[in-house]
Amino acid sequence: MASKQIIWTDRAKAEFYHILEFYIDRNKSTTFSEKLLSEVEELTFLLKSNEFIGRLTSDNTVRVFPVRHFLLFYAIRKESIYIVSFWDNRQNDTKKSYK
């Protein structure tokens, strides 16, 4: 199977960026955010050739894969994999705690 291109949606990029920034600010260090970034990069590399590794969501067009206490949501298309959301499971879903 050929490797697919990974494309982050604007929403997913913004969510991930805000999470990284939140932990940098909270921890007064980049260490945790750097580790998380590295883990997500490894996962996206793995997704390129193992796209069905995540479980289907109730949407049936989106899959989800856990990364620590985060969830990476993605959709598989013919030639690409779209990262559609990156969610911190500890955040309040009615008010983003990392803005």
Side-chain angles (χ1 to χ4, degrees), residues 2 6 9-11 16 19 24 27 39-40 54 56 60 69 74-75 81 88 92 95 98:
I6 300 291
T9 63
D10 290 341
R11 172 186 172 173
F16 189 48
I19 288 169
I24 289 169
N27 298 336
E39 289 176 27
V40 170
L56 276 174
N60 284 332
H69 51 266
Y74 66 97
I81 297 171
D88 185 338
N92 180 341
K95 179 182 173 201
Y98 52 81

Side-chain angles (χ1 to χ4, degrees), residues 51-69:
E51 62 199 44
F52 297 107
I53 195 168
R55 69 171 171 79
L56 276 174
T57 64
S58 59
D59 181 311
N60 284 332
T61 63
V62 174
R63 292 182 171 270
V64 62
F65 193 86
V67 181
R68 293 182 179 237
H69 51 266

Side-chain angles (χ1 to χ4, degrees), residues 7-15 73 81-86:
I7 299 171
W8 285 71
T9 63
D10 290 341
R11 172 186 172 173
K13 281 192 269 187
E15 290 169 341
F73 292 87
I81 297 171
Y82 286 84
I83 308 299
V84 296
S85 185
F86 194 85

Side-chain angles (χ1 to χ4, degrees), residues 66-80:
V67 181
R68 293 182 179 237
H69 51 266
F70 304 96
L71 295 175
L72 183 134
F73 292 87
Y74 66 97
I76 302 167
R77 298 296 180 256
K78 187 174 183 177
E79 296 183 17
S80 301

Side-chain angles (χ1 to χ4, degrees), residues 3-67:
S3 179
K4 291 190 175 186
Q5 180 182 12
I6 300 291
I7 299 171
W8 285 71
T9 63
D10 290 341
R11 172 186 172 173
K13 281 192 269 187
E15 290 169 341
F16 189 48
Y17 173 80
H18 288 300
I19 288 169
L20 294 175
E21 288 293 314
F22 170 80
Y23 285 102
I24 289 169
D25 185 52
R26 188 185 114 197
N27 298 336
K28 305 298 184 224
S29 168
T30 61
T31 303
F32 177 79
S33 291
E34 288 172 357
K35 286 180 184 178
L36 179 59
L37 178 60
S38 178
E39 289 176 27
V40 170
E41 286 174 344
E42 288 176 26
L43 173 59
T44 56
F45 181 77
L46 180 64
L47 281 175
K48 287 181 178 186
S49 56
N50 297 285
E51 62 199 44
F52 297 107
I53 195 168
R55 69 171 171 79
L56 276 174
T57 64
S58 59
D59 181 311
N60 284 332
T61 63
V62 174
R63 292 182 171 270
V64 62
F65 193 86
V67 181

